[in-house]
Amino acid sequence: MIRLALLVFLFGYNLILATGQELSDTTLLESVEVVASPLRTSPIGTRSEEWNISKSQNNSTNIAELLKGESSAFIKTYGSGSLATSSIRGGSAGHTAILWNGFSIQSPMLGLHDLGLFPSGFYDKVSLQYGGGSATWGNGAIGAVLSLSNKASFIDQLVLSTQSTLGSFGNFHQQVQFNIGNSKIQSGTRLFYQEGQNDFSYRINEDLPEKKQTNSALLNKGILQELYYQPNDKNTFAAYFWKQHANRQIPPLTTQTKNIAYQKDDFTRLALHWKRRTNKLLLQSRAGFFDDYIDYVDNQILLRSLTHFQSIIGEVEAQWSLDNHQFNLGVNNTFTKAFADAYASPPTENRIAAFGSYRFDWLSWKTQLSIRQEWIGSKASPLVPSLGIEKKLTNFLILQAKVSRNFRLPTFNDRYWQPGGNINLQAESGWSQEMGFTLKHKKEKFKASYSTTAFNRSINNWILWSKQEGQSFWSANNIAKVWSRGIEQRINMSTKWKRWEFNFSSGYDFILSSNQISITTPRIEAGEQLNYVPIHQAFINGTLGWKKWYASYQHSFTGQVETSNEPLDAYHVASFRIQKQWTSKHFQPSFFVAINNLWNANYRVIDRRPMPDRNFQIGINFLIHK
Amino acid sequence: MQLKFTLILSFVSFGLFAQTTTNFEEFDLNANEHINESFDVEGFYSGNTFLPNNYSAMFDSYTGWSISTHSDTMTPGFTNQYSSITGSGYESNTFAVASAYSPIKVGLQNESVGEVVEGMYITNSTYAFLSMRDGDSFAKKFGGETGNDPDFFLLTIQKYLNGTLGDEVVEFYLADYRFDDNSQDYIVDDWTFINTSSLGQADSLLFSLTSSDVGDYGMNTPATFCVDNIVTFGEATSTKTPSIAASYSIFPNPTSEFLNINYEDSEKAILQLFDSSGKIVLQQSIAKGTSSFDIRHLTSGAYALRLKNVKGVSSELMVIE
């Protein structure tokens, strides 16, 4: 009954809006990004969501959990800290570009990055730009761009913050951040440690005895060191060193007696940034070196797969202003070498990209034209332009629209894996269009907004591994054409009254993403919804605060998804959290208690992978400063 | 290590007719070896049968049949795809392993063409057996999550005669979990004789696998099974693979640095060197003339050298000092 009431609530709010209630707020972001030109980080016509990770209030362990709880990104995961990938706007995991301080960090071998590896305390800001962003970010920015960024505050500070969380199933998570600096130099050190057994109990059905998950332990630890130097108002230098190690067991499927496989992830990332800012000109130069290993071992079937890549990235860009005109130009060079037993010899790739943007603001209109061209060796990728428009119709209504062409290059595995790699693959590419509006209202301490965005996208040359006529093995081919379209709606509200605070956000996504061409192996009918792309997704999050006590409720609904076997049922999952903060001059402690899977739903996100039943977390955060 | 050629040809008296039992022992494999590359002729001739094999050298993979003596009944997964779940052939060491993601044939030869095939012994491969019993990352454990799924793994045998596929069918469940009483569910783990005489006269037999575990990628159950002792009509005119020992010489033997071979046949040949565990440590294609191979990276010990061309095969002992 509760679920039914919630369902009505989730889908019913549109009716309230239709009656003409005036709601408002802005989901548009002001440009405060330091890691790249604002023309790239906040492009016109793009719907964005962002999260500032507070040192004292951060409770999510990793970015997969953050997105799962706070956005409508569909996260494929099977428990805390597990391997996790995303599907946004009907794309595959490789269709979300992932940036760290402006660098693309997806594996060039897999074309994606495991979101379970990103400790959420390692970043100051996380943002999600929905829709195609290839014209500014290039390869893979088809469904969305997930941007993880660090930034410095050049203030006199000495801050130590810690977050410690104990959870069910042997989960322990510790994060420490230490910042010291003044108006010239800043240092930030972040340490992260996570371990867990994840030996939760689950039931296949009520007639069968409870089973305990096995081979599901994880260890994940890392360090991120930031150094910033600002010799004067115009110049800023930054250096980053990020090293992480994870060792995760791979639990058996429900249709598997046991599994003893595990995967080790190890990576080292180094980056150097230089930024020069004058009144009219912003110059940025950065270099990065990434060294990344994935070691998958299954001793049961005598399989070991060790893959490794190294990338060196250099990028220079400039943004300048002339009255109400803004320009951005830049070049990027990325060199990658990859190693895997299944490659005949370690392949290398050098990619050069040139990109530019022009933004023109006139009265209540904002327009931005962007374009990017990449060359992979001597081969040109598709030329990708985008045009975004924003019109402020009234003080409470903003319209926005965007047309863009986007692409994804075949991965190293698509090209070089033996057997089946195909060096003649074309890039996946296609056009997407989106438009939407935002209603916003602000009156004293009451803020509200409502937005709707509709999108349409067609991607040609979609790469699938398939069995071709006369072939005895699977190979990568440009055989699919995928049409994705949908509507996304968001409501945000916040208000304060005396010592009470109330925040509410809600969203509903309706997404169709279908392959337009019939394929025999794998068997896909024309017009059939892609696997693991829910047609319906919705969430509501509410927080009630009183005298720094906060009670939060998160509820999400995921519709039925197709898999390569049977479809997975729709499910509701909720969590409840109580948090208390204290504030004093030098010391800000807080604690929280959380109940995850509050209604003890028996659900699956991935076929044949059970999810934890109701479970608990308790955490203490400290923030001590000078 | 002494390599032996053994030819076991059974003439079984069955009524008035002579019969030949193909048991693959003449391939002269050591323990835990396999041949998945038939080299030029796209199949293996044995007894009165021809077992097609399509080998991809680039990927070291095959479809059709391979010949094997692998006996590992414990290791799951494709790395152990050449073992039978019985740990041997039928009352012998050698057997044939089928890779049948699409239907595969066994052709009849010599006097058996157009005659009845009496039958053969069949069992599961270790790969398929353990996958069905325990599940793997791709295929389900039979019975499914609840143990109640009515799963099955079915081998269907049909025949071709004069190019036409016959209507007759012989079915053999390599696993059957369709019983209401789960205790009756089974996966075949011994050699079972399958009588195919009801198919009638045949030029070739067609083997197809179907499983209840099917996804978008086709059948999830590993499409493999093992065959031994195929009983065909009539005497095999030539069941022994001819020796090509006269066509080459190797020197020096023993050796420590280089292996030289003087090969005098115009047909190209393949040279393989096996260590004492049966692992191939050197495999090269050679042409007429003298070829030299650097073997300094190999440890001292006894090795088996095999040379094979379309005309036949020959083996001998090599000692590396």
Side-chain angles (χ1 to χ4, degrees), chain A residues 88-121:
Chain A
I88 302 176
R89 283 199 174 170
S92 68
H95 292 150
T96 299
I98 301 173
L99 309 171
W100 171 57
N101 290 330
F103 289 115
S104 170
I105 52 172
Q106 294 115 288
S107 159
M109 305 172 82
L110 301 168
L112 49 84
H113 199 301
D114 180 354
L115 300 173
L117 288 176
F118 296 129
S120 47

Side-chain angles (χ1 to χ4, degrees), chain A residues 254-255 257 301 523 564 604, chain B residues 59 76 79 134 141 145 215-216:
Chain A
T254 53
T255 53
T257 304
I301 60 168
R523 188 190 63 231
S564 58
R604 304 269 172 91
Chain B
F59 308 127
T79 52
D134 299 330
K141 173 174 70 180
E145 293 180 337
D216 290 348

Side-chain angles (χ1 to χ4, degrees), chain A residues 183-484:
Chain A
S183 60
K184 296 259 186 230
I185 295 178
Q186 289 286 330
S187 164
T189 307
R190 303 173 202 237
L191 300 165
F192 167 85
Y193 179 87
Q194 181 190 14
E195 63 175 34
Q197 290 301 315
N198 292 312
D199 51 348
F200 57 85
S201 301
Y202 66 95
R203 275 182 196 277
I204 299 296
N205 62 41
E206 289 174 1
D207 299 332
L208 291 171
E210 208 167 63
K211 291 180 84 174
K212 206 158 214 187
Q213 184 61 291
T214 57
N215 202 55
S216 194
L218 71 93
L219 170 74
N220 191 0
K221 57 187 178 181
I223 178 171
L224 174 63
Q225 174 66 47
E226 305 154 73
L227 281 174
Y228 300 93
Y229 175 51
Q230 186 174 255
N232 49 50
D233 289 348
K234 289 179 181 158
N235 292 290
T236 309
F237 297 89
Y240 302 95
F241 169 74
W242 177 9
K243 190 166 180 60
Q244 200 164 319
H245 165 80
N247 186 354
R248 288 170 292 179
Q249 293 179 330
I250 311 296
L253 300 165
T254 53
T255 53
Q256 202 177 358
T257 304
K258 69 168 186 174
N259 195 355
I260 59 169
Y262 59 89
Q263 177 173 316
K264 289 182 180 175
D265 288 81
D266 279 283
F267 58 79
T268 306
R269 291 171 186 157
L270 284 165
L272 295 169
H273 291 231
W274 169 54
K275 184 172 74 176
R276 181 176 171 82
R277 182 191 285 275
T278 61
N279 279 348
K280 300 281 184 191
L281 184 66
L282 176 66
L283 268 176
Q284 298 200 74
S285 170
R286 52 182 159 265
F289 171 70
F290 302 156
D291 191 29
D292 205 307
Y293 290 84
I294 298 177
D295 190 5
Y296 183 91
V297 179
D298 187 344
N299 286 323
Q300 192 173 224
I301 60 168
L302 310 178
L303 175 72
R304 183 181 180 196
S305 167
L306 176 64
T307 58
H308 171 210
F309 74 85
Q310 292 178 320
S311 289
I312 299 171
I313 308 175
E315 187 167 282
V316 181
E317 65 171 319
Q319 179 173 331
W320 65 99
S321 313
L322 281 172
D323 302 324
N324 51 352
H325 303 271
Q326 291 185 68
F327 304 89
N328 164 249
L329 275 179
V331 290
N332 175 299
N333 190 83
T334 302
F335 175 81
T336 302
K337 186 168 189 179
F339 306 84
D341 286 343
Y343 297 163
S345 59
T348 60
E349 175 190 89
N350 196 67
R351 275 163 44 202
I352 297 174
F355 52 89
S357 268
Y358 164 62
R359 173 170 157 176
F360 176 55
D361 295 356
W362 179 68
L363 300 175
S364 59
W365 290 89
K366 291 174 183 172
T367 56
Q368 183 174 340
L369 178 68
S370 302
I371 196 160
R372 183 175 177 121
Q373 175 73 66
E374 294 196 8
W375 292 269
I376 303 96
S378 58
K379 196 173 171 183
S381 74
L383 179 72
V384 284
S386 79
L387 176 66
I389 299 175
E390 197 175 293
K391 163 74 175 165
K392 196 172 180 180
L393 270 181
T394 68
N395 275 339
F396 58 85
L397 178 61
I398 295 168
L399 302 180
Q400 58 190 40
K402 187 176 176 181
V403 177
S404 62
R405 191 181 187 206
N406 303 289
F407 73 99
R408 185 179 81 94
L409 297 171
T411 65
F412 274 56
N413 284 357
D414 290 337
R415 281 178 282 169
Y416 302 115
W417 194 268
Q418 290 193 354
N422 179 353
I423 55 168
N424 297 315
L425 284 175
Q426 302 294 308
E428 297 176 349
S429 68
W431 289 89
S432 63
Q433 305 84 30
E434 66 177 271
M435 61 185 301
F437 65 90
T438 302
L439 286 165
K440 58 175 186 170
H441 175 69
K442 187 175 182 185
K443 189 174 180 183
E444 295 174 351
K445 289 178 177 172
F446 178 75
K447 288 197 293 186
S449 72
Y450 167 75
S451 70
T452 289
T453 308
F455 73 92
N456 180 62
R457 183 184 71 224
S458 195
I459 297 292
N460 297 314
N461 289 327
W462 187 288
I463 296 165
L464 280 182
W465 281 70
S466 59
K467 218 169 188 177
Q468 298 293 290
E469 191 72 35
Q471 269 183 354
S472 60
F473 51 85
W474 291 73
S475 61
N477 297 284
N478 292 107
I479 49 172
K481 176 181 179 176
V482 175
W483 178 29
S484 309

